[in-house]
Every structure is written in structure tokens, then in C-alpha cells.
Amino acid sequence: MKIIFAGTPDFAASALDALLQTSHEIVAVYTQPDRKAGRGQKLTPSPVKQLALTHHLPVYQPLHFKSSTDEGKSAQAELAALNADVMVVAAYGLILPQVVLDTPKYGCLNIHGSLLPRWRGAAPIQRAIAAGDPETGVTIMKMAAGLDTGDMLLKTHCPILDTDTSAHLYEKLAAQGAEAICTVLESEQQLQQLVAEREVQNEEQTVYAHKLTKTEARIDWTQDAIQIDRNIRAFNPWPVAFIPLDDQNNLRVWESAVSTLSAADTQAGQIIAIDKQGVHVCCGTGVVCLKALQWPGGKALNPVQIAQTQKLNVGQVLA
């Protein structure tokens, strides 16, 4: 089949790489415009574009597909001229109007990192961890105009471990997504069958994964230890859980676990122990152990290094 691929980050690049190993023809790759990155703020191509260029694939980077502008209409016509059988979309980052969704012979298929209809939206992996979900997965759906509302063709399942960060889960689901889309596109007959048997999402089970904000990454010590640990893992690698040091600086928390220690006659945010496991902090209920901390201008430190800095003390109350 002739496939258009649309995606931007590493999650999408995993799927493109898998499709490149098949007999399908990737006729074009769509990705976000190059962005400034790194200390030098140099324009940097997305992981998907880098992979596409390595395989000498044509790359398109329109700003949008809006029918209300000449630029959008031109992008629509350009895509239609590719005469693709299907368009695979994975974390692309642009809204596709109905005219684009209807352009390929079999429409557009999206690789979404959750078990739809739970966690539609921008941050499904992070929200699943923060909510304490026992599992997540990948859903391949036939895209519709709404936000992740399309009919479902295939689902995979992935348990969420109590040590999983968003970074860990991201890698697992990227691999599952790559395998899942290759299964759906194993043959044209397979695709036709899955489209015919597609499952409509149950709107009553819908939960939205709202976009993450930096402010919500501030640790709230009045929450229970289990929730704080989930949040720390959910916000790794972005926006990273933090503890304010002053008006300008934050102490970043990269890793944690629910502590086996207990506390009495202490207040939320109070350090009750610093040992080889980490920094044990009293919460609204229970104790959380902070295992990797990063002070401004420095690197993330492990428990031994944290103790050596002597920047934290037992009895100290964190903000």
C-alpha cells in the first residue's frame, strides 16, 4: 500500500521505522516545522524528519491545513496529489480537518498512547500514571474530526508498574504502537477487515488527558505519599516535579518511591530521615522517599551524593 506518515517526536519515529521494514511504500512524511532546541537554540529537525531524510523520503512541513487560507488549501492539494491508500498519524501535532481525513482511500489511522476512550487528549501516558491506572496501552483508530473520537481498530495492553515513569512508559508504548500499526497494515485485506469490524467508542467512558502545566508539577505535601510518588513519576521527564527553594529557584525531583518509614508528630513536608535510600519526607498520609534530586545549575544526584551535599537536614520542612 501507499502510505503517508505524519508524526513528530520519537514516539512517532518508532512507528515510521517499523513501517520502513515492511513492503509498503512510504510516499511522503509530514512533520512539524523545525524548532529551536539546545543551548544554542539552533533550528533542529524532528526525530521523524531526521529518520525520513536518512531514508531519502520526501518531507512536508506545512504550518496547517486550514481551508480558510491559501496556504492551507495548497497543503490539502499537495497531500491529495500523493494519491495514498492510507495516512498513518502519530503525535503529529497539527489538527487535520475532515477534508484531509477523507483524502486517503482508507482515511487516516492514528496511533494513540492509551486505551481509548480513557485518556483522550494531549497527555495520556502521564495522566494514566498520575491516576494510578493498573494498565494502559495503544489504540489504533480511524480518525474522526473530534479529539481522539475515532472508531477503534486494534488495542494493545501494557501494565503500569509502580516504578514506571512517563519516560519508561513512553518507550514501551512506542514499541507497542509500532508493532500494532504494522499488524493493522499487514495487508490491504487485513485493513479492510479491521475497518469493517471497528468498534465505536463508548462516550460514557471518556476521560480527558489535559495538557500538562509546569505549575502542577510543584509537590503538594498535603497529598498522600502514594499520590505524590505517582505525580513525580508522571512528570518525568517533563515538566519534572519540583520543590521551591526561593522565588527564583526550584529543587527538581526526578525519582521517588513510597517509603517504608512511618512518621508521627510531624508536619507535611518535614524530612524525617536521610539515608542510603534517599530523603524521607512526611506527607498528608504516609512518607515518600526522594531518590534523585537536582539543585539549580547541577546534575541529578543519587541518595549518597544528596547526603554528601549536606544541603538538606532531618527536621527541615520543605516548601
Side-chain angles (χ1 to χ4, degrees), residues 17-276:
D17 188 47
L19 288 170
L20 286 166
Q21 312 307 316
T22 69
S23 60
H24 299 302
E25 179 187 359
I26 309 296
V27 296
V29 170
Y30 281 73
T31 191
Q32 285 276 335
D34 297 358
R35 307 293 189 196
K36 292 181 179 180
R39 292 184 177 180
Q41 288 294 287
K42 294 182 179 179
L43 280 176
T44 304
S46 71
V48 163
K49 181 178 179 179
Q50 293 178 45
L51 179 60
L53 294 177
T54 299
H55 289 271
H56 309 290
L57 299 173
V59 176
Y60 298 83
Q61 297 176 279
L63 294 177
H64 60 79
F65 290 94
K66 296 177 182 177
S67 299
S68 58
T69 69
D70 290 340
E71 184 178 36
K73 290 178 181 178
S74 176
Q76 292 177 14
E78 198 171 48
L79 188 145
L82 295 168
N83 195 31
D85 293 306
V86 67
M87 182 171 176
V88 174
V89 182
Y92 180 25
L94 286 189
I95 295 174
L96 302 180
Q98 192 64 50
V99 64
V100 171
L101 299 180
D102 293 337
T103 295
K105 180 179 178 181
Y106 294 108
C108 299
L109 304 182
N110 180 244
I111 306 171
H112 185 75
S114 82
L115 297 173
L116 291 172
R118 185 169 177 80
W119 302 128
R120 292 177 179 174
I125 295 174
Q126 297 92 332
R127 298 302 181 192
I129 293 175
D133 289 3
E135 69 168 357
T136 185
V138 167
T139 303
I140 307 296
M141 67 174 170
K142 191 173 188 300
M143 294 178 70
L147 177 62
D148 299 327
T149 57
D151 295 347
M152 303 177 292
L153 277 63
L154 181 72
K155 285 185 178 182
T156 68
H157 294 263
C158 178
I160 300 178
L161 308 179
D162 59 9
T163 55
D164 276 333
T165 63
S166 289
H168 296 149
L169 210 51
Y170 186 93
E171 293 179 0
K172 294 177 185 178
L173 295 185
Q176 284 197 3
E179 184 177 353
I181 195 63
C182 288
T183 297
V184 170
L185 299 177
E186 185 176 328
S187 66
E188 191 165 2
Q189 182 180 7
Q190 166 94 326
L191 175 58
Q192 290 173 340
Q193 181 177 342
L194 289 171
V195 169
E197 298 173 350
R198 64 189 185 273
E199 178 186 356
V200 177
Q201 294 188 40
N202 185 342
E203 292 296 327
E204 293 181 357
Q205 297 176 358
T206 299
V207 181
Y208 286 97
H210 297 290
K211 186 177 180 180
L212 299 177
T213 65
K214 290 185 178 181
T215 53
E216 68 180 307
R218 175 175 177 168
I219 295 176
D220 177 1
W221 299 112
T222 64
Q223 292 183 319
D224 65 74
I226 293 175
Q227 186 60 59
I228 289 174
D229 173 60
R230 287 173 182 166
N231 291 346
I232 290 169
R233 291 186 288 111
F235 298 144
N236 175 347
W238 194 91
V240 188
F242 68 90
I243 303 162
L245 294 174
D246 51 45
D247 291 341
Q248 301 293 326
N249 299 292
N250 297 319
L251 176 59
R252 306 175 91 187
V253 183
W254 287 95
E255 186 180 348
S256 64
V258 176
S259 175
T260 57
L261 301 183
S262 58
D265 300 322
T266 54
Q267 64 183 96
Q270 186 170 350
I271 298 173
I272 63 169
I274 300 175
D275 57 25
K276 62 181 180 180

Side-chain angles (χ1 to χ4, degrees), residues 245 267 269-272 274 281 310-319:
L245 294 174
Q267 64 183 96
Q270 186 170 350
I271 298 173
I272 63 169
I274 300 175
V281 185
Q310 298 185 344
K311 291 182 176 180
L312 298 175
N313 303 291
V314 174
Q316 180 179 347
V317 178
L318 302 175

